[in-house]
């Protein structure tokens, strides 16, 4: 329970041993005496112990999610590959499913792409996860992605690989946010001038901390 609260508060794992437990011991000793405080000192809250507990919580949450997906008649996924600030390519997959007469959406998994980020590599990652967790492609009715060649390629793209192992019942959709980004690049000249002016203004304000403070004072 203590590890769960530490994870929920997004605190460093060392906070249990350095702050939480000593505080609890001091409070208990002050109110109830040294006997009860000594019992609290037996609680393991080291950095490694908290890390293991949080890992167990994460695994349990994943298993609960997998169970919900299996109990759902159908499910759909949305996926994208993006490079983080450390130059690692991360594959994120979200899932939408039915549970308790409601539609739920959760992060299914996030895995680093160890080498290439082609459509085949992305498909192998997703397909491997499906096999590990016992998910059936036949129950997947929708796949949403962006318009990148790795996703939409007719021969080696992710969608082509999915079609090759299914009977074609899956509906493929294009990410709305990605469409908006594409539209923004092809706006009419009048609207494009307004958009570029707004972008320059925002960049000027946010590029320096002083500009942000002055703008905040101006708004006030």
């Amino acid at each position: 329970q203590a590890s769960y609260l530490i994870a929920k508060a997004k605190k460093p794992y060392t906070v249990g041993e350095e702050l939480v437990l000593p505080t609890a011991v001091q409070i208990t000793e002050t109110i109830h005496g040294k006997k009860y405080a000594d019992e609290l000192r037996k609680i393991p809250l080291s950095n490694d112990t908290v890390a293991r507990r949080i890992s167990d919580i994460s695994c349990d949450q994943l298993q609960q999610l997998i169970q919900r997906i299996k109990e759902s008649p159908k499910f759909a996924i949305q996926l994208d590959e993006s490079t983080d600030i450390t130059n690692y390519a991360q594959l994120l997959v979200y899932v939408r499913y039915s549970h308790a007469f409601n539609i739920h959406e959760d992060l299914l998994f996030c895995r680093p792409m160890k080498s290439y980020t082609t459509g085949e590599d992305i498909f192998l990652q997703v397909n491997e996860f499906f096999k590990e967790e016992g998910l059936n492609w036949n129950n997947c009715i929708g796949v949403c992605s962006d318009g990148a060649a790795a996703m939409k390629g007719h021969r080696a793209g992710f969608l082509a690989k999915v079609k090759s192992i299914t009977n074609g019942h899956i509906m493929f959709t294009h990410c709305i946010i990605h469409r908006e980004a594409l539209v923004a690049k092809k706006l009419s000249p009048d609207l494009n001038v307004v958009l570029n002016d707004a972008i320059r203004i925002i960049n000027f304000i946010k590029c320096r901390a002083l500009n942000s403070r002055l703008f905040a004072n101006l708004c006030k």
Side-chain angles (χ1 to χ4, degrees), residues 17-53:
E17 190 175 33
E18 295 176 354
L19 179 63
V20 176
L21 187 58
T23 302
V25 170
Q26 289 290 337
I27 293 173
T28 305
E29 187 172 353
T30 302
I31 297 176
H32 297 292
K34 190 174 183 302
K35 178 181 178 182
Y36 292 98
D38 290 339
E39 290 296 320
L40 286 184
R41 290 190 175 92
K42 300 177 182 178
I43 298 175
L45 273 183
S46 68
N47 177 58
D48 293 340
T49 301
V50 173
R52 287 195 301 270
R53 300 290 187 271

PDB file of all heavy atoms in Angstrom, residues 17-53:
ATOM      1  N   GLU A  17      12.092   5.015   2.246  1.00  0.00           N
ATOM      2  CA  GLU A  17      13.087   4.731   3.272  1.00  0.00           C
ATOM      3  C   GLU A  17      13.606   6.010   3.924  1.00  0.00           C
ATOM      4  O   GLU A  17      13.936   6.017   5.113  1.00  0.00           O
ATOM      5  CB  GLU A  17      14.247   3.949   2.645  1.00  0.00           C
ATOM      6  CG  GLU A  17      15.237   3.386   3.646  1.00  0.00           C
ATOM      7  CD  GLU A  17      16.285   2.522   2.963  1.00  0.00           C
ATOM      8  OE1 GLU A  17      16.645   2.828   1.810  1.00  0.00           O
ATOM      9  OE2 GLU A  17      16.733   1.543   3.569  1.00  0.00           O
ATOM     10  N   GLU A  18      13.662   7.099   3.166  1.00  0.00           N
ATOM     11  CA  GLU A  18      14.253   8.332   3.681  1.00  0.00           C
ATOM     12  C   GLU A  18      13.256   9.239   4.390  1.00  0.00           C
ATOM     13  O   GLU A  18      13.647  10.022   5.265  1.00  0.00           O
ATOM     14  CB  GLU A  18      14.904   9.100   2.525  1.00  0.00           C
ATOM     15  CG  GLU A  18      16.095   8.370   1.911  1.00  0.00           C
ATOM     16  CD  GLU A  18      16.652   9.115   0.717  1.00  0.00           C
ATOM     17  OE1 GLU A  18      16.032  10.125   0.306  1.00  0.00           O
ATOM     18  OE2 GLU A  18      17.690   8.687   0.175  1.00  0.00           O
ATOM     19  N   LEU A  19      11.968   9.170   4.031  1.00  0.00           N
ATOM     20  CA  LEU A  19      11.007  10.115   4.592  1.00  0.00           C
ATOM     21  C   LEU A  19       9.752   9.455   5.150  1.00  0.00           C
ATOM     22  O   LEU A  19       9.378   9.719   6.295  1.00  0.00           O
ATOM     23  CB  LEU A  19      10.613  11.144   3.514  1.00  0.00           C
ATOM     24  CG  LEU A  19       9.582  12.198   3.949  1.00  0.00           C
ATOM     25  CD1 LEU A  19      10.146  13.053   5.081  1.00  0.00           C
ATOM     26  CD2 LEU A  19       9.171  13.065   2.768  1.00  0.00           C
ATOM     27  N   VAL A  20       9.110   8.601   4.344  1.00  0.00           N
ATOM     28  CA  VAL A  20       7.803   8.060   4.743  1.00  0.00           C
ATOM     29  C   VAL A  20       7.920   7.220   6.010  1.00  0.00           C
ATOM     30  O   VAL A  20       7.203   7.446   6.995  1.00  0.00           O
ATOM     31  CB  VAL A  20       7.193   7.228   3.601  1.00  0.00           C
ATOM     32  CG1 VAL A  20       5.891   6.583   4.061  1.00  0.00           C
ATOM     33  CG2 VAL A  20       6.946   8.105   2.381  1.00  0.00           C
ATOM     34  N   LEU A  21       8.822   6.235   5.994  1.00  0.00           N
ATOM     35  CA  LEU A  21       8.942   5.342   7.146  1.00  0.00           C
ATOM     36  C   LEU A  21       9.450   6.064   8.397  1.00  0.00           C
ATOM     37  O   LEU A  21       8.874   5.893   9.486  1.00  0.00           O
ATOM     38  CB  LEU A  21       9.859   4.163   6.794  1.00  0.00           C
ATOM     39  CG  LEU A  21       9.953   3.057   7.860  1.00  0.00           C
ATOM     40  CD1 LEU A  21       8.575   2.480   8.163  1.00  0.00           C
ATOM     41  CD2 LEU A  21      10.893   1.953   7.395  1.00  0.00           C
ATOM     42  N   PRO A  22      10.538   6.885   8.326  1.00  0.00           N
ATOM     43  CA  PRO A  22      10.970   7.620   9.519  1.00  0.00           C
ATOM     44  C   PRO A  22       9.876   8.517  10.089  1.00  0.00           C
ATOM     45  O   PRO A  22       9.728   8.624  11.316  1.00  0.00           O
ATOM     46  CB  PRO A  22      12.156   8.447   9.021  1.00  0.00           C
ATOM     47  CG  PRO A  22      12.688   7.690   7.861  1.00  0.00           C
ATOM     48  CD  PRO A  22      11.484   7.104   7.194  1.00  0.00           C
ATOM     49  N   THR A  23       9.087   9.148   9.224  1.00  0.00           N
ATOM     50  CA  THR A  23       7.995  10.005   9.702  1.00  0.00           C
ATOM     51  C   THR A  23       6.938   9.181  10.428  1.00  0.00           C
ATOM     52  O   THR A  23       6.466   9.568  11.508  1.00  0.00           O
ATOM     53  CB  THR A  23       7.359  10.744   8.516  1.00  0.00           C
ATOM     54  OG1 THR A  23       8.354  11.503   7.842  1.00  0.00           O
ATOM     55  CG2 THR A  23       6.257  11.670   8.998  1.00  0.00           C
ATOM     56  N   ALA A  24       6.572   8.046   9.828  1.00  0.00           N
ATOM     57  CA  ALA A  24       5.568   7.189  10.460  1.00  0.00           C
ATOM     58  C   ALA A  24       6.061   6.670  11.808  1.00  0.00           C
ATOM     59  O   ALA A  24       5.299   6.583  12.776  1.00  0.00           O
ATOM     60  CB  ALA A  24       5.222   6.029   9.529  1.00  0.00           C
ATOM     61  N   VAL A  25       7.353   6.311  11.887  1.00  0.00           N
ATOM     62  CA  VAL A  25       7.914   5.823  13.151  1.00  0.00           C
ATOM     63  C   VAL A  25       7.871   6.913  14.219  1.00  0.00           C
ATOM     64  O   VAL A  25       7.487   6.667  15.370  1.00  0.00           O
ATOM     65  CB  VAL A  25       9.365   5.337  12.921  1.00  0.00           C
ATOM     66  CG1 VAL A  25      10.047   5.063  14.268  1.00  0.00           C
ATOM     67  CG2 VAL A  25       9.371   4.073  12.068  1.00  0.00           C
ATOM     68  N   GLN A  26       8.242   8.133  13.846  1.00  0.00           N
ATOM     69  CA  GLN A  26       8.244   9.232  14.801  1.00  0.00           C
ATOM     70  C   GLN A  26       6.836   9.542  15.303  1.00  0.00           C
ATOM     71  O   GLN A  26       6.615   9.755  16.502  1.00  0.00           O
ATOM     72  CB  GLN A  26       8.859  10.483  14.152  1.00  0.00           C
ATOM     73  CG  GLN A  26      10.354  10.396  13.917  1.00  0.00           C
ATOM     74  CD  GLN A  26      11.157  10.439  15.221  1.00  0.00           C
ATOM     75  OE1 GLN A  26      10.687  10.928  16.236  1.00  0.00           O
ATOM     76  NE2 GLN A  26      12.351   9.876  15.186  1.00  0.00           N
ATOM     77  N   ILE A  27       5.876   9.560  14.396  1.00  0.00           N
ATOM     78  CA  ILE A  27       4.492   9.851  14.794  1.00  0.00           C
ATOM     79  C   ILE A  27       3.970   8.766  15.720  1.00  0.00           C
ATOM     80  O   ILE A  27       3.345   9.048  16.756  1.00  0.00           O
ATOM     81  CB  ILE A  27       3.607   9.980  13.539  1.00  0.00           C
ATOM     82  CG1 ILE A  27       4.005  11.223  12.733  1.00  0.00           C
ATOM     83  CG2 ILE A  27       2.129  10.054  13.924  1.00  0.00           C
ATOM     84  CD1 ILE A  27       3.292  11.340  11.404  1.00  0.00           C
ATOM     85  N   THR A  28       4.218   7.512  15.361  1.00  0.00           N
ATOM     86  CA  THR A  28       3.722   6.396  16.177  1.00  0.00           C
ATOM     87  C   THR A  28       4.372   6.389  17.551  1.00  0.00           C
ATOM     88  O   THR A  28       3.706   6.150  18.567  1.00  0.00           O
ATOM     89  CB  THR A  28       3.989   5.065  15.457  1.00  0.00           C
ATOM     90  OG1 THR A  28       3.402   5.110  14.144  1.00  0.00           O
ATOM     91  CG2 THR A  28       3.396   3.899  16.237  1.00  0.00           C
ATOM     92  N   GLU A  29       5.692   6.646  17.596  1.00  0.00           N
ATOM     93  CA  GLU A  29       6.381   6.660  18.882  1.00  0.00           C
ATOM     94  C   GLU A  29       5.865   7.789  19.782  1.00  0.00           C
ATOM     95  O   GLU A  29       5.734   7.617  20.995  1.00  0.00           O
ATOM     96  CB  GLU A  29       7.884   6.813  18.652  1.00  0.00           C
ATOM     97  CG  GLU A  29       8.714   6.676  19.937  1.00  0.00           C
ATOM     98  CD  GLU A  29      10.198   6.646  19.655  1.00  0.00           C
ATOM     99  OE1 GLU A  29      10.580   6.595  18.467  1.00  0.00           O
ATOM    100  OE2 GLU A  29      10.985   6.664  20.618  1.00  0.00           O
ATOM    101  N   THR A  30       5.550   8.927  19.173  1.00  0.00           N
ATOM    102  CA  THR A  30       5.048  10.058  19.956  1.00  0.00           C
ATOM    103  C   THR A  30       3.653   9.779  20.505  1.00  0.00           C
ATOM    104  O   THR A  30       3.351  10.098  21.666  1.00  0.00           O
ATOM    105  CB  THR A  30       5.012  11.325  19.090  1.00  0.00           C
ATOM    106  OG1 THR A  30       6.320  11.593  18.593  1.00  0.00           O
ATOM    107  CG2 THR A  30       4.518  12.525  19.895  1.00  0.00           C
ATOM    108  N   ILE A  31       2.807   9.140  19.717  1.00  0.00           N
ATOM    109  CA  ILE A  31       1.407   8.949  20.125  1.00  0.00           C
ATOM    110  C   ILE A  31       1.215   7.662  20.914  1.00  0.00           C
ATOM    111  O   ILE A  31       0.531   7.653  21.952  1.00  0.00           O
ATOM    112  CB  ILE A  31       0.496   8.954  18.878  1.00  0.00           C
ATOM    113  CG1 ILE A  31       0.577  10.315  18.181  1.00  0.00           C
ATOM    114  CG2 ILE A  31      -0.951   8.644  19.259  1.00  0.00           C
ATOM    115  CD1 ILE A  31      -0.215  10.390  16.896  1.00  0.00           C
ATOM    116  N   HIS A  32       1.814   6.560  20.445  1.00  0.00           N
ATOM    117  CA  HIS A  32       1.524   5.252  21.036  1.00  0.00           C
ATOM    118  C   HIS A  32       2.693   4.650  21.816  1.00  0.00           C
ATOM    119  O   HIS A  32       2.513   3.639  22.495  1.00  0.00           O
ATOM    120  CB  HIS A  32       1.110   4.268  19.930  1.00  0.00           C
ATOM    121  CG  HIS A  32      -0.139   4.666  19.218  1.00  0.00           C
ATOM    122  ND1 HIS A  32      -1.383   4.667  19.807  1.00  0.00           N
ATOM    123  CD2 HIS A  32      -0.314   5.101  17.944  1.00  0.00           C
ATOM    124  CE1 HIS A  32      -2.290   5.063  18.927  1.00  0.00           C
ATOM    125  NE2 HIS A  32      -1.669   5.336  17.787  1.00  0.00           N
ATOM    126  N   GLY A  33       3.888   5.202  21.684  1.00  0.00           N
ATOM    127  CA  GLY A  33       5.015   4.667  22.435  1.00  0.00           C
ATOM    128  C   GLY A  33       5.993   3.909  21.569  1.00  0.00           C
ATOM    129  O   GLY A  33       5.738   3.601  20.398  1.00  0.00           O
ATOM    130  N   LYS A  34       7.148   3.569  22.201  1.00  0.00           N
ATOM    131  CA  LYS A  34       8.247   2.952  21.458  1.00  0.00           C
ATOM    132  C   LYS A  34       7.912   1.543  20.979  1.00  0.00           C
ATOM    133  O   LYS A  34       8.407   1.101  19.941  1.00  0.00           O
ATOM    134  CB  LYS A  34       9.484   2.910  22.355  1.00  0.00           C
ATOM    135  CG  LYS A  34      10.773   2.511  21.643  1.00  0.00           C
ATOM    136  CD  LYS A  34      11.955   2.642  22.571  1.00  0.00           C
ATOM    137  CE  LYS A  34      13.269   2.306  21.844  1.00  0.00           C
ATOM    138  NZ  LYS A  34      13.280   0.963  21.271  1.00  0.00           N
ATOM    139  N   LYS A  35       7.071   0.823  21.694  1.00  0.00           N
ATOM    140  CA  LYS A  35       6.747  -0.559  21.337  1.00  0.00           C
ATOM    141  C   LYS A  35       6.114  -0.629  19.944  1.00  0.00           C
ATOM    142  O   LYS A  35       6.501  -1.451  19.103  1.00  0.00           O
ATOM    143  CB  LYS A  35       5.807  -1.149  22.375  1.00  0.00           C
ATOM    144  CG  LYS A  35       5.372  -2.573  22.049  1.00  0.00           C
ATOM    145  CD  LYS A  35       4.415  -3.104  23.117  1.00  0.00           C
ATOM    146  CE  LYS A  35       3.933  -4.508  22.761  1.00  0.00           C
ATOM    147  NZ  LYS A  35       2.973  -5.032  23.764  1.00  0.00           N
ATOM    148  N   TYR A  36       5.140   0.218  19.707  1.00  0.00           N
ATOM    149  CA  TYR A  36       4.476   0.204  18.414  1.00  0.00           C
ATOM    150  C   TYR A  36       5.381   0.767  17.320  1.00  0.00           C
ATOM    151  O   TYR A  36       5.316   0.334  16.162  1.00  0.00           O
ATOM    152  CB  TYR A  36       3.173   1.015  18.481  1.00  0.00           C
ATOM    153  CG  TYR A  36       2.114   0.368  19.345  1.00  0.00           C
ATOM    154  CD1 TYR A  36       1.920   0.766  20.663  1.00  0.00           C
ATOM    155  CD2 TYR A  36       1.304  -0.650  18.834  1.00  0.00           C
ATOM    156  CE1 TYR A  36       0.958   0.169  21.453  1.00  0.00           C
ATOM    157  CE2 TYR A  36       0.342  -1.252  19.627  1.00  0.00           C
ATOM    158  CZ  TYR A  36       0.172  -0.844  20.934  1.00  0.00           C
ATOM    159  OH  TYR A  36      -0.777  -1.443  21.716  1.00  0.00           O
ATOM    160  N   ALA A  37       6.229   1.732  17.674  1.00  0.00           N
ATOM    161  CA  ALA A  37       7.148   2.292  16.697  1.00  0.00           C
ATOM    162  C   ALA A  37       8.147   1.246  16.211  1.00  0.00           C
ATOM    163  O   ALA A  37       8.523   1.211  15.033  1.00  0.00           O
ATOM    164  CB  ALA A  37       7.880   3.490  17.292  1.00  0.00           C
ATOM    165  N   ASP A  38       8.574   0.369  17.106  1.00  0.00           N
ATOM    166  CA  ASP A  38       9.506  -0.692  16.715  1.00  0.00           C
ATOM    167  C   ASP A  38       8.876  -1.647  15.710  1.00  0.00           C
ATOM    168  O   ASP A  38       9.584  -2.227  14.863  1.00  0.00           O
ATOM    169  CB  ASP A  38       9.968  -1.458  17.957  1.00  0.00           C
ATOM    170  CG  ASP A  38      10.886  -0.623  18.845  1.00  0.00           C
ATOM    171  OD1 ASP A  38      11.474   0.353  18.308  1.00  0.00           O
ATOM    172  OD2 ASP A  38      11.005  -0.925  20.042  1.00  0.00           O
ATOM    173  N   GLU A  39       7.564  -1.854  15.805  1.00  0.00           N
ATOM    174  CA  GLU A  39       6.887  -2.726  14.837  1.00  0.00           C
ATOM    175  C   GLU A  39       6.920  -2.113  13.435  1.00  0.00           C
ATOM    176  O   GLU A  39       7.077  -2.819  12.439  1.00  0.00           O
ATOM    177  CB  GLU A  39       5.429  -2.952  15.272  1.00  0.00           C
ATOM    178  CG  GLU A  39       5.271  -3.811  16.512  1.00  0.00           C
ATOM    179  CD  GLU A  39       5.767  -5.230  16.292  1.00  0.00           C
ATOM    180  OE1 GLU A  39       5.515  -5.790  15.191  1.00  0.00           O
ATOM    181  OE2 GLU A  39       6.427  -5.785  17.193  1.00  0.00           O
ATOM    182  N   LEU A  40       6.797  -0.791  13.384  1.00  0.00           N
ATOM    183  CA  LEU A  40       6.830  -0.124  12.075  1.00  0.00           C
ATOM    184  C   LEU A  40       8.199  -0.219  11.421  1.00  0.00           C
ATOM    185  O   LEU A  40       8.304  -0.248  10.196  1.00  0.00           O
ATOM    186  CB  LEU A  40       6.440   1.350  12.226  1.00  0.00           C
ATOM    187  CG  LEU A  40       4.958   1.662  12.475  1.00  0.00           C
ATOM    188  CD1 LEU A  40       4.748   3.164  12.505  1.00  0.00           C
ATOM    189  CD2 LEU A  40       4.074   1.032  11.408  1.00  0.00           C
ATOM    190  N   ARG A  41       9.242  -0.255  12.240  1.00  0.00           N
ATOM    191  CA  ARG A  41      10.597  -0.310  11.679  1.00  0.00           C
ATOM    192  C   ARG A  41      10.855  -1.591  10.896  1.00  0.00           C
ATOM    193  O   ARG A  41      11.796  -1.677  10.111  1.00  0.00           O
ATOM    194  CB  ARG A  41      11.627  -0.178  12.809  1.00  0.00           C
ATOM    195  CG  ARG A  41      11.683   1.222  13.430  1.00  0.00           C
ATOM    196  CD  ARG A  41      12.879   1.358  14.361  1.00  0.00           C
ATOM    197  NE  ARG A  41      13.022   2.718  14.879  1.00  0.00           N
ATOM    198  CZ  ARG A  41      12.492   3.138  16.018  1.00  0.00           C
ATOM    199  NH1 ARG A  41      11.782   2.283  16.785  1.00  0.00           N
ATOM    200  NH2 ARG A  41      12.661   4.382  16.413  1.00  0.00           N
ATOM    201  N   LYS A  42      10.018  -2.602  11.100  1.00  0.00           N
ATOM    202  CA  LYS A  42      10.180  -3.881  10.395  1.00  0.00           C
ATOM    203  C   LYS A  42       9.652  -3.814   8.952  1.00  0.00           C
ATOM    204  O   LYS A  42       9.885  -4.732   8.163  1.00  0.00           O
ATOM    205  CB  LYS A  42       9.449  -4.987  11.144  1.00  0.00           C
ATOM    206  CG  LYS A  42       9.948  -5.212  12.566  1.00  0.00           C
ATOM    207  CD  LYS A  42       9.116  -6.281  13.251  1.00  0.00           C
ATOM    208  CE  LYS A  42       9.558  -6.486  14.707  1.00  0.00           C
ATOM    209  NZ  LYS A  42       8.726  -7.504  15.402  1.00  0.00           N
ATOM    210  N   ILE A  43       8.918  -2.744   8.619  1.00  0.00           N
ATOM    211  CA  ILE A  43       8.337  -2.641   7.281  1.00  0.00           C
ATOM    212  C   ILE A  43       9.434  -2.388   6.252  1.00  0.00           C
ATOM    213  O   ILE A  43      10.188  -1.424   6.392  1.00  0.00           O
ATOM    214  CB  ILE A  43       7.291  -1.509   7.230  1.00  0.00           C
ATOM    215  CG1 ILE A  43       6.146  -1.800   8.203  1.00  0.00           C
ATOM    216  CG2 ILE A  43       6.745  -1.341   5.806  1.00  0.00           C
ATOM    217  CD1 ILE A  43       5.139  -0.673   8.298  1.00  0.00           C
ATOM    218  N   PRO A  44       9.556  -3.216   5.211  1.00  0.00           N
ATOM    219  CA  PRO A  44      10.587  -2.995   4.185  1.00  0.00           C
ATOM    220  C   PRO A  44      10.140  -1.924   3.187  1.00  0.00           C
ATOM    221  O   PRO A  44       9.150  -2.091   2.476  1.00  0.00           O
ATOM    222  CB  PRO A  44      10.708  -4.362   3.508  1.00  0.00           C
ATOM    223  CG  PRO A  44       9.368  -4.986   3.691  1.00  0.00           C
ATOM    224  CD  PRO A  44       8.809  -4.463   4.991  1.00  0.00           C
ATOM    225  N   LEU A  45      10.859  -0.819   3.156  1.00  0.00           N
ATOM    226  CA  LEU A  45      10.535   0.260   2.227  1.00  0.00           C
ATOM    227  C   LEU A  45      11.795   0.786   1.541  1.00  0.00           C
ATOM    228  O   LEU A  45      11.893   1.980   1.265  1.00  0.00           O
ATOM    229  CB  LEU A  45       9.829   1.408   2.955  1.00  0.00           C
ATOM    230  CG  LEU A  45       8.306   1.315   3.085  1.00  0.00           C
ATOM    231  CD1 LEU A  45       7.747   2.554   3.764  1.00  0.00           C
ATOM    232  CD2 LEU A  45       7.647   1.126   1.730  1.00  0.00           C
ATOM    233  N   SER A  46      12.740  -0.108   1.281  1.00  0.00           N
ATOM    234  CA  SER A  46      13.956   0.317   0.595  1.00  0.00           C
ATOM    235  C   SER A  46      13.655   0.638  -0.863  1.00  0.00           C
ATOM    236  O   SER A  46      12.578   0.326  -1.387  1.00  0.00           O
ATOM    237  CB  SER A  46      15.030  -0.769   0.683  1.00  0.00           C
ATOM    238  OG  SER A  46      14.631  -1.905  -0.074  1.00  0.00           O
ATOM    239  N   ASN A  47      14.615   1.230  -1.535  1.00  0.00           N
ATOM    240  CA  ASN A  47      14.455   1.614  -2.937  1.00  0.00           C
ATOM    241  C   ASN A  47      14.114   0.407  -3.812  1.00  0.00           C
ATOM    242  O   ASN A  47      13.179   0.451  -4.615  1.00  0.00           O
ATOM    243  CB  ASN A  47      15.738   2.289  -3.425  1.00  0.00           C
ATOM    244  CG  ASN A  47      15.675   2.646  -4.896  1.00  0.00           C
ATOM    245  OD1 ASN A  47      14.799   3.367  -5.310  1.00  0.00           O
ATOM    246  ND2 ASN A  47      16.615   2.132  -5.669  1.00  0.00           N
ATOM    247  N   ASP A  48      14.855  -0.698  -3.646  1.00  0.00           N
ATOM    248  CA  ASP A  48      14.624  -1.891  -4.464  1.00  0.00           C
ATOM    249  C   ASP A  48      13.275  -2.528  -4.159  1.00  0.00           C
ATOM    250  O   ASP A  48      12.589  -3.026  -5.055  1.00  0.00           O
ATOM    251  CB  ASP A  48      15.751  -2.903  -4.248  1.00  0.00           C
ATOM    252  CG  ASP A  48      17.082  -2.392  -4.781  1.00  0.00           C
ATOM    253  OD1 ASP A  48      17.069  -1.475  -5.614  1.00  0.00           O
ATOM    254  OD2 ASP A  48      18.133  -2.897  -4.330  1.00  0.00           O
ATOM    255  N   THR A  49      12.911  -2.540  -2.873  1.00  0.00           N
ATOM    256  CA  THR A  49      11.637  -3.152  -2.479  1.00  0.00           C
ATOM    257  C   THR A  49      10.473  -2.392  -3.094  1.00  0.00           C
ATOM    258  O   THR A  49       9.542  -3.000  -3.649  1.00  0.00           O
ATOM    259  CB  THR A  49      11.498  -3.169  -0.947  1.00  0.00           C
ATOM    260  OG1 THR A  49      12.586  -3.908  -0.392  1.00  0.00           O
ATOM    261  CG2 THR A  49      10.195  -3.808  -0.535  1.00  0.00           C
ATOM    262  N   VAL A  50      10.506  -1.065  -3.004  1.00  0.00           N
ATOM    263  CA  VAL A  50       9.441  -0.252  -3.591  1.00  0.00           C
ATOM    264  C   VAL A  50       9.391  -0.449  -5.101  1.00  0.00           C
ATOM    265  O   VAL A  50       8.302  -0.556  -5.690  1.00  0.00           O
ATOM    266  CB  VAL A  50       9.651   1.231  -3.239  1.00  0.00           C
ATOM    267  CG1 VAL A  50       8.653   2.112  -3.988  1.00  0.00           C
ATOM    268  CG2 VAL A  50       9.515   1.451  -1.743  1.00  0.00           C
ATOM    269  N   ALA A  51      10.556  -0.534  -5.751  1.00  0.00           N
ATOM    270  CA  ALA A  51      10.603  -0.740  -7.202  1.00  0.00           C
ATOM    271  C   ALA A  51       9.944  -2.061  -7.582  1.00  0.00           C
ATOM    272  O   ALA A  51       9.196  -2.132  -8.568  1.00  0.00           O
ATOM    273  CB  ALA A  51      12.043  -0.702  -7.688  1.00  0.00           C
ATOM    274  N   ARG A  52      10.233  -3.119  -6.801  1.00  0.00           N
ATOM    275  CA  ARG A  52       9.622  -4.426  -7.102  1.00  0.00           C
ATOM    276  C   ARG A  52       8.114  -4.385  -6.913  1.00  0.00           C
ATOM    277  O   ARG A  52       7.354  -4.957  -7.710  1.00  0.00           O
ATOM    278  CB  ARG A  52      10.235  -5.507  -6.212  1.00  0.00           C
ATOM    279  CG  ARG A  52      11.661  -5.904  -6.574  1.00  0.00           C
ATOM    280  CD  ARG A  52      12.041  -7.217  -5.898  1.00  0.00           C
ATOM    281  NE  ARG A  52      11.947  -7.126  -4.458  1.00  0.00           N
ATOM    282  CZ  ARG A  52      12.952  -6.747  -3.662  1.00  0.00           C
ATOM    283  NH1 ARG A  52      14.114  -6.412  -4.191  1.00  0.00           N
ATOM    284  NH2 ARG A  52      12.807  -6.716  -2.355  1.00  0.00           N
ATOM    285  N   ARG A  53       7.662  -3.712  -5.847  1.00  0.00           N
ATOM    286  CA  ARG A  53       6.219  -3.635  -5.589  1.00  0.00           C
ATOM    287  C   ARG A  53       5.512  -2.892  -6.724  1.00  0.00           C
ATOM    288  O   ARG A  53       4.442  -3.307  -7.180  1.00  0.00           O
ATOM    289  CB  ARG A  53       5.945  -2.917  -4.267  1.00  0.00           C
ATOM    290  CG  ARG A  53       6.561  -3.588  -3.051  1.00  0.00           C
ATOM    291  CD  ARG A  53       5.864  -4.902  -2.711  1.00  0.00           C
ATOM    292  NE  ARG A  53       6.371  -5.445  -1.457  1.00  0.00           N
ATOM    293  CZ  ARG A  53       7.399  -6.259  -1.357  1.00  0.00           C
ATOM    294  NH1 ARG A  53       8.053  -6.623  -2.449  1.00  0.00           N
ATOM    295  NH2 ARG A  53       7.783  -6.714  -0.178  1.00  0.00           N
TER     296      ARG A  53
END
